Amino acid sequence: MRQALRVLIAGGGTGGHVIPALAIARELRDAHEAEVRFVGTARGLETRLVPEAGFPLELIRVGQLKNVSLATRVRTVADLPLGVARCLELARSFKPDVVVGVGGYASGPAMMAAVLLRVPTLAFEPNAVPGLANRLVGRRVSAAAVNFEETRRYFRGARVTGIPVRQEFFEIAPMPDAKEDRISFVGSVAQDGPASARRLLVFGGSQGARVFNSVMPKIAKRLLEYVPGLRILHQTGKGQAESTGEAYGASGADPSRWEVAAYLDDMPRRFADADLILCRSGASTVAELAAAGRPAVLVPFPGAADDHQMKNAEAFARVGAAELRVQEADDLMGAFLLSDLSGLLLDAGRLAEMGRRVRGLAHPDAVTEIGHMVAELAGC
Ligand SMILES: CC(=O)N[C@H]1[C@@H](OP(=O)(O)OP(=O)(O)OC[C@H]2O[C@@H](n3ccc(=O)[nH]c3=O)[C@H](O)[C@@H]2O)O[C@H](CO)[C@@H](O)[C@@H]1O
């Protein structure tokens, strides 16, 4: 009898790496009956999300190379052979048919080990310009799944599949046009209609965004006054919920109409509830907006490698699927966001139109296609 397909998924760090990796893992398990294991590092989000999703996780030690001191970089490079050696050990005992590298810390050493052992490899790259781990192994991999046509040139055997996102995002109902009726105007002043309700979701990617945490509490009171019935749910990132909550509390904004949380586990439900989303433009974030058909104001993280968040946001803004707001100093940012958010929240027709347009950018087959690529590499 043929043995089950065995796949080692390597990488992690931020949600942007871990969350699509989990979507790939579920597809391989459910549609290909694969046995899937993960390799990550102790400081990544994988340590919580992978075991919660029911997959085994092996940890290896890999240092950081970006935004760290020279001494740390030297140590990281010196430790690299140890990381590769540990991955060689793991691969020899698990005997994967394919190693999938999703980018992030553990991805580089695991993919190098797979290349050395001549195990087929698939690289997954969600951003227009690959991160370091994928750039290092790009020409040596067997195949790659990318999100942008222009990214294909960094890899061997690359196909544009899009980014796998959790299936629940595709199941979200379209934005109802009917909400248009819920807010009426007397002169230019919005009046609270009988069923008036608007929900704004603010989230800064898997780590939160400092700019939202500092600016939103400053404008919340006025925003809640301008938009009747509005409720705000604000994800702050780890360690930021308390201080951000205190800032909202001190702002005088009605405490029954805002809520803060460090991290939201049930994002598909939060997207479904939202009429508008204020967020960064990380790769998975924008893929989820498209899958869910939800309008957004995108504020690209200015420090993202090769300014790739700006490219993601521009692609959405160009076709009227989202608004792009470049990050400014806090005061200016507050004024811009107050105007962007209230303008959109009071214009249900525009929100519905953006919701329709953004859905046109979704890749509903991404995860199925990546699953097939892995199976093909394994010769199944
Ligand atoms: C600061 C930084 O370097 N960010 C990078 C990182 O972002 P980041 O890790 O934020 O990545 P993404 O925007 O791609 O994905 C965030 C993921 O976390 C999920 N989520 C987030 C918050 C929360 O409370 N709950 C939750 O489930 C989102 O639904 C999404 O699935 O990786 C991305 C993919 O390589 C890059 O494009 C980003 O530029």
Side-chain angles (χ1 to χ4, degrees):
M1 205 182 82
R2 204 195 150 75
Q3 278 219 320
L5 171 64
R6 288 162 175 266
V7 183
L8 194 63
I9 300 186
T14 66
H17 297 291
V18 182
I19 288 173
L22 284 172
I24 296 172
R26 285 191 195 99
E27 172 72 11
L28 289 169
R29 182 192 59 195
D30 300 343
H32 299 269
E33 289 162 23
E35 188 183 337
V36 181
R37 286 195 194 170
F38 279 78
V39 187
T41 66
R43 65 178 178 286
L45 207 48
E46 59 270 28
T47 51
R48 185 168 71 83
L49 298 186
V50 169
E52 271 177 19
F55 294 100
L57 169 70
E58 303 280 354
L59 297 179
I60 60 166
R61 280 186 54 182
V62 190
Q64 280 171 293
L65 279 172
K66 273 193 324 201
N67 307 326
V68 288
S69 68
L70 181 63
T72 308
R73 269 184 282 167
V74 169
R75 207 173 327 121
T76 299
V77 173
D79 282 350
L80 198 60
L82 278 179
V84 177
R86 177 80 186 110
C87 290
L88 283 169
E89 241 174 73
L90 289 175
R92 285 199 183 106
S93 74
F94 179 51
K95 297 194 175 35
D97 297 294
V98 181
V99 175
V100 177
V102 296
Y105 310 125
S107 194
M111 294 292 267
M112 282 179 206
V115 169
L116 288 172
L117 294 173
R118 296 182 195 281
V119 174
T121 46
L122 178 106
F124 166 70
E125 179 51 63
N127 298 307
V129 180
L132 192 62
N134 272 343
R135 241 178 299 181
L136 284 175
V137 294
R139 310 299 312 174
R140 317 272 312 263
V141 297
S142 320
V146 301
N147 189 32
F148 296 96
E149 186 58 42
E150 69 208 72
T151 316
R152 288 182 53 198
R153 66 194 161 95
Y154 294 95
F155 295 97
R156 217 168 62 173
R159 281 191 222 161
V160 179
T161 58
I163 298 177
V165 307
R166 286 164 276 184
Q167 185 54 34
E168 297 98 298
F169 283 106
F170 291 101
E171 288 152 16
I172 293 176
M175 303 275 301
D177 280 325
K179 278 198 175 170
E180 228 158 339
D181 301 327
R182 292 190 189 169
I183 291 182
S184 56
F185 287 84
V186 173
S188 60
V189 180
Q191 302 291 304
D192 214 341
S196 125
R198 288 279 186 273
R199 281 175 195 269
L200 171 68
L201 171 65
V202 179
F203 86 101
S206 58
Q207 293 154 308
R210 190 212 52 84
V211 65
F212 298 158
N213 297 346
S214 91
V215 168
M216 281 306 298
K218 295 195 182 112
I219 63 168
K221 185 166 188 286
R222 272 175 295 160
L223 186 60
L224 292 171
E225 281 164 9
Y226 293 173
V227 185
L230 176 66
R231 283 171 188 279
I232 302 171
L233 172 60
H234 182 142
Q235 177 258 357
T236 61
K238 204 168 152 189
Q240 301 298 311
E242 204 174 316
S243 57
T244 308
E246 278 166 12
Y248 271 95
S251 74
D254 179 349
S256 67
R257 292 172 64 192
W258 56 263
E259 194 187 330
V260 297
Y263 190 86
L264 301 165
D265 277 315
D266 47 358
M267 246 354 174
R269 180 164 74 81
R270 305 306 187 164
F271 272 45
D273 286 347
D275 296 281
L276 178 65
I277 300 177
L278 169 65
C279 55
R280 291 293 197 194
S281 43
S284 285
T285 295
V286 296
E288 289 164 357
L289 290 171
R294 282 299 180 266
V297 174
L298 299 173
V299 182
F301 171 52
D306 306 295
D307 214 9
H308 71 252
Q309 290 210 3
M310 181 62 83
K311 289 176 196 140
N312 292 344
E314 277 168 355
F316 275 50
R318 208 177 298 129
V319 295
E323 291 266 297
L324 164 57
R325 173 58 66 196
V326 175
Q327 185 167 325
E328 306 278 357
D330 284 4
D331 284 354
L332 204 52
M333 199 64 196
F336 281 140
L337 285 183
L338 185 59
S339 145
D340 293 341
L341 297 174
S342 57
L344 283 168
L345 285 162
L346 291 169
D347 190 347
R350 175 104 195 283
L351 291 178
E353 179 57 26
M354 283 165 78
R356 267 191 295 276
R357 287 181 186 227
V358 78
R359 232 179 198 154
L361 299 174
H363 286 276
D365 299 328
V367 79
T368 323
E369 216 179 318
I370 294 174
H372 284 309
M373 286 175 82
V374 173
E376 258 172 50
L377 287 175
C380 297

